[in-house]
Amino acid sequence: MEYTRLGKSGIKISRVALGCMSFGDRSTGFSEWALGEEDAAPFFRQAVELGITFWDTANVYSNGTSEEIVGRAITKFSSREQIVLASKVFFPMHDGPGGGGLSRKAILEQVDASLSRLGTDYVDLLQIHRFDPETPVEETMEALHDVVKAGKARYLGASAMHAWQFAKMQHTAQLHDWTRFVAMQDQYSLLYREEEREMFGLLADHGVGSIPYSPLAKGRLARPIGESTKRSSNDPVGNAHFSNTDSEKAVVDAVARIAETRGIPMAQVALAWVLSNPVVSAPIVGATKEDHLADAAAAVDITLTADEITSLEENYATRLPVGY
């Protein structure tokens, strides 16, 4: 495993992040594919063995049970000092005024609740899961700054928003000498490249690292056209984001051709392409099968040629932003 700075911050992270949305209590109804604690254990063990020490979860994942599982896994398979732990706040956890959003009340309440579930005094990276149009940006950024100053978070990050919204929040923090974001968790893959238009340039200018989610486009870049799993066939989010257009099919075919030529899985090709972008610090990879993390770790060592990159990129078609 390779390690890198998260953007221009001082913290070092593994070049692959373990996405923990797949782990949690299925009875919460958040995800019918969530793995319970016993089934999730091998993936935490495998992550540690592969050197994947950057773990990402959120309070809303399986209604908090993902955080509980992650917290116990850190103690069982590693130590708090060895793991770079990230979580998020925004989506509603209950109907009360502090249950969701980015008000001062919600941030302070939900951060404390997350720390309790995680069994730790701090997270390394606290991220706002979305932009909150109902709360003044000044209120949000000051509350986040206070969380950092209280020692409950070491760094701040954001996720899935328009570039102008992110710029507004960063500028507000700069004006008041508050803590600024060092990470942006955005959707990015060969099938969704809209972040390249405005967001990535902004991140590069601000020294912010991208930690993309869905780098395999909900699994569509990991298998040839026509092949699907039960999960991919019944994934409402994935089916809403991707629709097997001619452009998408051409991109997937290009991944398949390069993978066949190199004699490696398609997932490694798709992840190597994401990793080749200089703004990307670490893609977030969810794991429900043993090969998922193994492919991600192997992708770190793959360098695509200029011709291969051209082949992968040439059929992309502009699309409307999704996910926020």
Side-chain angles (χ1 to χ4, degrees), residues 301-320:
D301 296 322
I302 296 173
T303 300
L304 298 171
T305 68
D307 287 343
E308 287 174 329
I309 291 175
T310 297
S311 177
L312 292 169
E313 295 180 349
E314 62 187 357
N315 290 297
Y316 183 76
T318 303
R319 52 185 300 155
L320 292 174

Side-chain angles (χ1 to χ4, degrees), residues 22 30 96 101 122 144 153 161 174 178 250 268 275:
S22 301
F30 180 83
Y122 70 97
L144 291 172
M161 62 183 63
Q174 184 177 14
W178 294 331
Q268 293 184 21
L275 285 160

Side-chain angles (χ1 to χ4, degrees), residues 174-250:
Q174 184 177 14
L175 282 177
H176 296 276
D177 200 25
W178 294 331
T179 307
R180 282 176 276 179
F181 298 123
V182 302
M184 165 55 71
Q185 186 170 151
D186 35 15
Q187 183 175 184
Y188 185 56
S189 72
L190 278 164
L191 293 184
Y192 185 84
R193 295 170 50 195
E194 296 311 301
E195 301 301 285
E196 294 176 359
R197 303 188 185 283
E198 294 185 355
M199 182 63 81
F200 275 12
L202 178 62
L203 300 185
D205 184 62
H206 284 234
V208 174
S210 168
I211 49 175
Y213 70 88
S214 293
L216 295 177
K218 300 292 184 180
R220 284 159 175 78
L221 292 165
R223 64 184 73 88
I225 293 293
E227 292 185 17
S228 64
T229 63
K230 181 180 179 181
R231 173 174 177 175
S232 65
S233 300
N234 298 285
D235 180 1
V237 175
N239 292 335
H241 289 194
F242 308 105
S243 53
N244 291 326
T245 62
D246 289 342
S247 170
E248 290 179 5
K249 291 177 181 178

Side-chain angles (χ1 to χ4, degrees), residues 52-71:
I52 299 174
T53 55
F54 183 23
W55 296 4
D56 176 75
T57 185
N59 60 350
V60 75
Y61 294 165
S62 294
N63 197 32
T65 61
S66 173
E67 289 183 321
E68 293 173 352
I69 290 173
V70 170

Side-chain angles (χ1 to χ4, degrees), residues 6-11 124-125 154-158 166 170 179-184 203 206-211 281:
L6 180 52
K8 290 185 178 178
S9 74
I11 192 170
D124 295 288
L125 180 65
R154 301 295 190 248
Y155 299 88
L156 298 177
F166 184 72
Q170 285 286 74
T179 307
R180 282 176 276 179
F181 298 123
V182 302
M184 165 55 71
L203 300 185
H206 284 234
V208 174
S210 168
I211 49 175
S281 294

